[in-house]
Amino acid sequence: METTAPPTLLPHLWKSTLVSGILAVILGVLVLVWPGITILVAAIFFGAYLLVTGVAQVIFAFSLHVSAGGRVLLFISGAAALILAVLCFRSLQDSILLLAIWIGVGFIFRGVATAVSAISDPTLPGRGWEIFIGVLSLVAGVVMLALPFESLTWLTLAVGISLIVLGVIEVVSAFGIRKAAKTVEKVTAPPPPAESVS
């Protein structure tokens, strides 16, 4: 009788999950200990993102075979991103403000889209929750635009706490995966050879 070999990935999966969990906890603690530095680093990355996006869109406006309207839109979008990138690198406070506005507008668009799609589809499962999440996201976006610096600080703290919670969950899951891998090894291990009686 042939026995199936245990999955080769399972015994090693718990190690990567454990490392991922520990790194998430460490990152979450760093975010909570130094929220100002975290916001500053995020703002610098945001400025770099705008710069790369702007350059790419301007290049695409001249190199892609698209309609004239498409070229104009790509060029305007790229030029706007480059202007915002220059503002970000000119002043870190402007960069932080633009990051907060960007996040706030994103929350508003997501909230409106989620709420409208849930309201317009009465057959959607969990429709009430979708409407609630959409309205909550919309309110969060409005608050973000009204109080950008304070909101960004609270958002950073929320991200730090979330990272710690997710990291702890991953660490606990890693030990569960390790236990499951050992159980699978025991179940699928070949039986010892029977001793022959002479």
Side-chain angles (χ1 to χ4, degrees):
M1 178 178 142
E2 290 185 9
T3 57
T4 57
T8 55
L9 182 64
L10 192 58
H12 304 289
L13 182 62
W14 75 272
K15 294 175 189 172
S16 62
T17 306
L18 180 65
V19 169
S20 173
I22 291 171
L23 289 176
V25 170
I26 291 170
L27 185 59
V29 170
L30 291 175
V31 167
L32 290 179
V33 171
W34 293 301
I37 294 174
T38 303
I39 293 171
L40 195 61
V41 170
I44 290 168
F45 276 114
F46 178 65
Y49 161 78
L50 287 173
L51 181 66
V52 171
T53 303
V55 169
Q57 287 181 342
V58 168
I59 291 171
F60 290 154
F62 292 107
S63 62
L64 290 179
H65 297 291
V66 291
S67 65
R71 275 182 207 278
V72 170
L73 286 176
L74 272 173
F75 182 79
I76 291 172
S77 175
L82 286 173
I83 292 168
L84 290 175
V86 169
L87 289 174
C88 283
F89 289 119
R90 192 191 68 171
S91 162
L92 286 175
Q93 189 167 2
D94 288 345
S95 181
I96 293 168
L97 179 63
L98 285 171
L99 176 62
I101 291 170
W102 187 280
I103 293 171
V105 170
F107 277 159
I108 290 172
F109 276 120
R110 183 183 183 279
V112 170
T114 303
V116 168
S117 63
I119 290 168
S120 63
D121 185 5
T123 61
L124 184 71
R127 183 174 177 235
W129 280 110
E130 289 293 315
I131 294 171
F132 174 73
I133 289 170
V135 171
L136 192 65
S137 181
L138 176 62
V139 170
V142 170
V143 171
M144 198 94 190
L145 293 180
L147 304 166
F149 294 107
E150 297 86 346
S151 300
L152 206 53
T153 302
W154 282 106
L155 187 63
T156 304
L157 295 176
V159 167
I161 292 168
S162 300
L163 282 169
I164 292 173
V165 170
L166 290 173
V168 169
I169 290 171
E170 281 196 324
V171 168
V172 171
S173 299
F175 289 108
I177 293 169
R178 182 182 181 198
K179 184 178 178 184
K182 287 185 177 182
T183 304
V184 168
E185 280 179 13
K186 286 179 186 175
V187 169
T188 58
E195 292 181 9
S196 58
V197 180
S198 54

